[in-house]
């Protein structure tokens, strides 16, 4: 008997099942966190507020596994869309100190895992505006790697419940 089967059998005997987080309707579960991929597009500040209104946080990505899950989900949701125009806000930003990337604002939760596209973060939008907020970007060769872009652009966004490290401020 494998460990898993043994565990299942013991769980059955005890009348319990493995403890798992329960996500609200239309949220997706991954590693005991819940994620909501927005249909609407908002600027980074309004996206942050929208997640907070849902008692969640704009997503923080702490591992390659979480990053891959998010990318695969976006690809799945946009199978029939042109990825050139698909971007999803994360909570990463360097609004407070240029070049110091943190999850949330204000926050001391520094970005450790990162998946920047080659040449990013470059802090220059095509119209020369500064770029302080991070998006998973479908544009060109990006394939949902990370780009810093101006925070006032309207993009989709991902809310996350169960983030243990992020600070909820304000
Ligand atoms: Ca996370
Ligand atoms: Ca950039």
């Amino acid at each position: 008997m494998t460990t898993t089967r043994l565990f299942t059998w013991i769980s059955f005997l005890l009348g319990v099942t493995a403890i798992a987080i329960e996500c609200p309707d239309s949220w997706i579960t991954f590693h005991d966190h819940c994620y909501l991929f927005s249909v609407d597009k908002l600027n980074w500040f309004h996206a942050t507020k929208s997640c907070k209104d849902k008692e969640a946080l704009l997503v923080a990505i702490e591992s390659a596994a979480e990053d891959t899950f998010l990318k695969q989900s976006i690809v799945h949701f946009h199978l029939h869309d042109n990825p050139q125009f698909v971007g999803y806000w994360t909570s990463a930003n360097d609004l407070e100190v240029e070049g110091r990337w943190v999850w949330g604002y204000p926050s001391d939760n520094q970005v450790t895992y990162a998946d920047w596209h080659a040449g990013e973060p470059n802090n220059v939008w095509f119209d020369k505006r500064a770029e302080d907020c991070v998006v998973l970007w479908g544009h060109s060769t990006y394939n949902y790697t990370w780009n810093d872009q101006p925070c006032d652009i309207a993009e989709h966004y991902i809310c996350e419940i169960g983030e243990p490290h992020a600070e909820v401020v304000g």
Side-chain angles (χ1 to χ4, degrees), residues 101 116 119-125 131 133 135 137 142 146-150:
W101 296 96
W116 298 108
E120 303 294 351
N122 61 356
N123 197 37
V124 190
W125 193 238
E131 305 184 311
C133 293
V135 73
W137 216 21
Y142 280 73
W146 302 9
N147 176 41
D148 57 338
Q149 72 177 37

Side-chain angles (χ1 to χ4, degrees), residues 55-116:
E55 296 178 352
L57 291 165
L58 195 56
V59 72
I61 307 171
E62 286 98 350
S63 70
E66 185 177 20
D67 198 39
T68 301
F69 156 73
L70 297 173
K71 287 174 184 168
Q72 288 176 345
S73 301
I74 293 169
V75 168
H76 175 75
F77 291 133
H78 292 276
L79 278 180
H80 304 296
D81 299 327
N82 184 344
Q84 287 288 107
F85 305 109
V86 179
Y88 278 81
W89 286 127
T90 73
S91 67
N93 71 90
D94 70 342
L95 285 160
E96 200 163 26
V97 181
E98 181 58 34
R100 180 177 172 271
W101 296 96
V102 293
W103 298 114
Y105 175 86
S107 170
D108 288 323
N109 181 19
Q110 297 219 34
V111 171
T112 49
Y113 168 82
D115 187 25
W116 298 108

Side-chain angles (χ1 to χ4, degrees), residues 11 29 31 43 50 53 65 68 83-84 143 151-152 156 161 169:
S11 298
T29 311
H31 288 190
N43 73 38
S50 175
D53 289 346
T68 301
Q84 287 288 107
N143 199 24
C151 305
D152 60 356
H156 295 293
I161 295 172
V169 183

